[in-house]
């Protein structure tokens, strides 16, 4: 029977991803497992009883009682600064989940996959990439990753290694603020040429996963539809204000 409510988890490791983000490895006794793309709620409780909870995508596939959550610092945020600076290995935190059944990749789906991530929106997409590799799947994956600069790439070393070792995985970067030395491209927001060049043709009927800030997700989804992709094959996960 599926357990509901809040679980008590313990922080067992922390890995720095960028200057403003880190992956938290949590041990959750009797964790039921999760699908790549699902998320969890993390809740903090202050000494005076005040509680604050936020949702975070799980960035790695199921691994027994352990889950990995990648957190980006939100300026003046209530939860993320404490998770990154105040939570120590051995400390406990409450977890609820796994949550979501729509924005998930399933091993039984043979269709090519396009992943489009903006900033920290790459976290659930990374869970899909890792799950595919662990299962030995040959499903072709393409990731288009939009970041401000090379310094802001999450999982940078791992992505380079996976692309080198896996001919069925392609990764393309779109830099919005600062382009690395040696590249002739101009800094720009993701657009039609990026999705047309690095995505899958619509006639192959890929499944498209798009995750990032609301404006980013809406822009990418509109472009994919304009390129002929069926809306039902575009799955989205967004965060931030809707305005």
């Amino acid at each position: 029977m599926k357990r509901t409510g809040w679980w008590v988890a313990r922080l067992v490791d922390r890995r720095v991803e960028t200057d403003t983000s880190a992956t938290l490895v949590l041990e959750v006794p009797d964790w039921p497992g999760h699908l790549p793309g699902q998320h969890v709620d993390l809740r903090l409780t202050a000494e005076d009883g005040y509680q604050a909870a936020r949702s975070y995508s799980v960035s790695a596939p199921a691994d027994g009682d352990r889950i990995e959550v990648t957190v980006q610092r939100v300026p003046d945020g209530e939860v993320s600064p404490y998770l990154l600076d105040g939570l120590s290995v051995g400390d406990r935190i409450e977890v609820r989940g796994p949550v979501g059944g729509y924005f998930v990749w399933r091993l039984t789906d043979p269709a090519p996959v396009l992943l489009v991530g903006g900033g920290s929106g790459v976290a659930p997409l990374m869970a899909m990439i890792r799950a595919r590799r662990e299962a030995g799947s040959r499903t072709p994956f393409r990731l288009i990753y939009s970041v401000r600069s090379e310094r802001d790439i999450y999982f940078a070393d791992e992505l380079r290694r996976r692309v080198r070792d896996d001919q069925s995985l392609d990764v393309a970067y779109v830099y919005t603020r600062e382009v690395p030395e040696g590249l002739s491209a101009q800094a720009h927001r993701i657009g039609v040429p990026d999705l047309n060049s690095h995505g899958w043709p619509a006639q192959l009927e890929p499944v498209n996963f798009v995750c990032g800030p609301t404006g980013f997700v809406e822009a990418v989804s509109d472009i994919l539809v304009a390129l002929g992709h069926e809306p039902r094959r575009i799955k989205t996960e967004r965060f931030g204000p809707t305005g």
Side-chain angles (χ1 to χ4, degrees), residues 93-154:
I93 187 172
E94 291 179 288
V95 177
R96 181 169 61 188
V99 181
Y102 169 73
F103 192 82
V104 297
W105 177 68
R106 301 178 188 275
L107 288 168
T108 53
D109 189 345
V113 174
L114 174 63
L115 311 172
V116 188
S120 61
V122 76
L125 310 182
M126 197 65 189
M128 299 176 190
I129 291 172
R130 289 166 165 168
R132 169 187 172 275
R133 181 64 175 177
E134 285 192 7
S137 170
R138 304 297 296 175
T139 300
F141 267 39
R142 291 182 177 178
L143 168 64
I144 305 176
Y145 188 8
S146 176
V147 290
R148 293 182 178 183
S149 70
E150 193 172 27
R151 297 184 301 276
D152 299 301
I153 298 175
Y154 288 43

Side-chain angles (χ1 to χ4, degrees), residues 113-116 141-145 170-174 188 190-201:
V113 174
L114 174 63
L115 311 172
V116 188
F141 267 39
R142 291 182 177 178
L143 168 64
I144 305 176
Y145 188 8
D170 293 321
V171 178
Y173 297 95
V174 175
H188 65 283
I190 195 167
V192 173
D194 303 298
L195 293 165
N196 202 28
S197 299
H198 303 297
W200 296 104

Side-chain angles (χ1 to χ4, degrees), residues 28-164:
V28 191
D30 300 321
W31 182 247
H34 57 271
L35 297 173
Q38 289 188 301
H39 62 276
V40 296
D41 297 330
L42 300 184
R43 184 168 71 181
L44 302 174
T45 302
E47 292 183 0
D48 63 1
Y50 176 76
Q51 294 181 323
R54 297 291 185 274
S55 295
Y56 293 97
S57 295
V58 182
S59 53
D63 180 21
D65 287 345
R66 293 195 173 191
I67 62 174
E68 296 188 12
V69 178
T70 302
V71 178
Q72 180 178 22
R73 183 187 305 278
V74 176
D76 302 321
E78 275 190 308
V79 175
S80 62
Y82 180 80
L83 294 177
L84 295 176
D85 302 327
L87 197 66
S88 301
V89 171
D91 287 350
R92 300 185 184 279
I93 187 172
E94 291 179 288
V95 177
R96 181 169 61 188
V99 181
Y102 169 73
F103 192 82
V104 297
W105 177 68
R106 301 178 188 275
L107 288 168
T108 53
D109 189 345
V113 174
L114 174 63
L115 311 172
V116 188
S120 61
V122 76
L125 310 182
M126 197 65 189
M128 299 176 190
I129 291 172
R130 289 166 165 168
R132 169 187 172 275
R133 181 64 175 177
E134 285 192 7
S137 170
R138 304 297 296 175
T139 300
F141 267 39
R142 291 182 177 178
L143 168 64
I144 305 176
Y145 188 8
S146 176
V147 290
R148 293 182 178 183
S149 70
E150 193 172 27
R151 297 184 301 276
D152 299 301
I153 298 175
Y154 288 43
F155 320 110
D157 291 339
E158 182 179 350
L159 283 172
R160 280 192 291 267
R161 184 176 69 253
R162 289 186 182 277
V163 169
R164 180 195 66 200

